[in-house]
Amino acid sequence: FLLDTSRSMDAQDLNPNRLEVSKDLIINIVDHVKNRTDFFGLISFAGIAEIEAALTDDYNFFKMRTNSVGISPDDVQGTDFLNALRLAIDTLKMSKNKNHIIVLITDGEDQEKEWEKILPELKEEQITVFTVGVGKSTGAPIPQKDEDGNITGYKIDKQGETIKTVLDELSLIKIKDATGGSYFRLTDISGIEQIVNGLDRFERSVLGKRLSVKKINRFQYPLILGFIFLILEMLLSDRRLRWKRD
C-alpha cells in the first residue's frame, strides 16, 4: 500500500478526515483477504516516501503499524508519486511472489508531476496498480493544528484566501490504465466495501490463473510419457509382425 500523508489528507470532507478513512480502508482490505499467505507492506509518502511496514504476513502487526501512521511533518510536505512508486518497486523486487499489486491511496494532488517516468518500469515488472482517490470533488479546506491536534485555522494563500484541496482523479486514472488496474473513488466510509470487493475479485482471478498453471504443470509430464510409450508400443508391434512373416 502507498498511503498519502501530505497535509491535504487532513481535510475533513470525509469523517473524521481523509487519512483516517484511508487507514480504515487498508485494514478492511487486510481483514477480507481470502489468500492468507499474502504479504502486505505499507509506504507513507508526502514530499518523501518512507517504509512504515516492510512486507509481512503478520497481519496484526501490519494493522498496528497502519493505525499509527499520521500526517507527515511540515519539513517533508508535498506530494510525490514518483518517489513512492520507486520505493514500492524496489521493495517488491525483493519478494519471491510473482503477482505484485500496488494500491495507491491519495487525493491525487501530485505537485511534482513526474510520475509518468516510472510507468515503463511498472509495466516491465508486471506490477498492477490500483488507485484510490480520496475526498470529494467539491474540495475542502486544509486544517492548521497546534501541538495538541486542535484546529487553529485553515491554510491560506498569499492573498489571504482559504485554500481548498480538491480530489484530482486524472493522474490516478492514467496510472491504473497504464498498469491494468482499476480506479476507485473513496468519498465516504460506505465506499470502503466497494473497493474491498473489487480487490477481492481481482485476487480470485489471479488465484484462478495460478490453479490453471498448476494443473497444466501437473499433467503435462504424464501426458508426454504416455505419448512416448505409445510410440514404443507401435514400433514393437511392427517388429513382431515382421518376425511372424519371416
Side-chain angles (χ1 to χ4, degrees), residues 1-5 19 22-23 26 42-45 69 105:
F1 293 95
L2 300 184
L3 178 60
D4 187 349
T5 53
L19 180 61
S22 297
K23 293 193 295 186
I26 293 172
L42 178 64
I43 293 172
S44 65
F45 71 96
V69 173
I105 306 171

Side-chain angles (χ1 to χ4, degrees), residues 47 77-83 109-115:
Q77 278 302 311
T79 305
D80 188 351
F81 293 171
L82 178 62
N83 280 338
E109 294 185 310
D110 180 1
Q111 281 125 18
E112 302 303 325
K113 307 296 183 185
E114 295 188 344
W115 53 265

Side-chain angles (χ1 to χ4, degrees), residues 98-114:
K98 294 182 180 179
N99 298 301
H100 295 149
I101 299 172
I102 293 175
V103 182
L104 172 61
I105 306 171
T106 175
D107 55 23
E109 294 185 310
D110 180 1
Q111 281 125 18
E112 302 303 325
K113 307 296 183 185
E114 295 188 344

Side-chain angles (χ1 to χ4, degrees), residues 1-244:
F1 293 95
L2 300 184
L3 178 60
D4 187 349
T5 53
S6 62
R7 184 64 60 189
S8 60
M9 291 291 284
D10 208 14
Q12 297 175 331
D13 50 350
L14 276 65
N15 186 28
N17 59 43
R18 294 176 179 179
L19 180 61
E20 292 303 318
V21 174
S22 297
K23 293 193 295 186
D24 285 345
L25 169 63
I26 293 172
I27 290 170
N28 268 272
I29 291 172
V30 173
D31 283 340
H32 285 82
V33 70
K34 298 294 188 297
N35 183 11
R36 304 307 288 182
T37 60
D38 285 342
F39 281 68
F40 291 99
L42 178 64
I43 293 172
S44 65
F45 71 96
I48 63 171
E50 296 182 283
I51 295 176
E52 299 288 348
L55 288 172
T56 180
D57 59 354
D58 185 339
Y59 295 175
N60 289 329
F61 168 78
F62 178 82
K63 290 190 288 185
M64 180 188 70
R65 290 294 301 147
T66 299
N67 272 323
S68 69
V69 173
I71 296 295
S72 294
D74 289 339
D75 59 344
V76 293
Q77 278 302 311
T79 305
D80 188 351
F81 293 171
L82 178 62
N83 280 338
L85 290 167
R86 161 61 55 205
L87 183 55
I89 290 173
D90 291 344
T91 302
L92 290 172
K93 280 181 178 179
M94 295 185 288
S95 169
K96 294 180 181 179
N97 193 332
K98 294 182 180 179
N99 298 301
H100 295 149
I101 299 172
I102 293 175
V103 182
L104 172 61
I105 306 171
T106 175
D107 55 23
E109 294 185 310
D110 180 1
Q111 281 125 18
E112 302 303 325
K113 307 296 183 185
E114 295 188 344
W115 53 265
E116 290 184 354
K117 295 178 181 178
I118 207 157
L119 292 182
E121 188 169 358
L122 286 168
K123 293 178 185 177
E124 182 181 346
E125 295 296 327
Q126 297 183 330
I127 297 173
T128 304
V129 183
F130 289 84
T131 55
V132 179
V134 186
K136 297 181 179 179
S137 56
T138 53
I142 303 171
Q144 301 278 46
K145 296 181 178 179
D146 60 23
E147 293 180 356
D148 297 322
N150 300 311
I151 296 177
T152 58
Y154 293 92
K155 191 173 181 180
I156 58 174
D157 59 20
K158 293 179 180 179
Q159 287 72 42
E161 298 293 327
T162 299
I163 297 173
K164 274 193 170 185
T165 170
V166 180
L167 172 61
D168 180 6
E169 299 179 294
L170 184 58
S171 298
L172 302 180
I173 292 170
K174 286 182 178 179
I175 292 172
K176 72 92 178 173
D177 283 343
T179 61
S182 297
Y183 170 70
F184 302 97
R185 183 186 295 173
L186 184 59
T187 55
D188 55 54
I189 197 76
S190 64
I192 289 178
E193 184 177 358
Q194 177 192 358
I195 299 171
V196 169
N197 290 338
L199 290 172
D200 178 57
R201 284 193 297 272
F202 178 82
E203 183 188 22
R204 280 189 276 112
S205 71
V206 169
L207 183 60
K209 290 177 183 177
R210 287 179 188 162
L211 291 173
S212 175
V213 169
K214 286 180 180 178
K215 287 178 181 177
I216 292 170
N217 290 338
R218 186 184 305 160
F219 294 110
Q220 65 182 356
Y221 298 113
L223 185 63
I224 292 170
L225 287 172
F227 185 66
I228 291 171
F229 286 134
L230 179 62
I231 292 174
L232 288 172
E233 176 65 23
M234 290 171 65
L235 290 172
L236 290 172
S237 298
D238 186 56
R239 285 185 181 180
R240 284 196 293 268
L241 285 170
R242 277 186 282 177
W243 288 339
K244 288 179 180 179

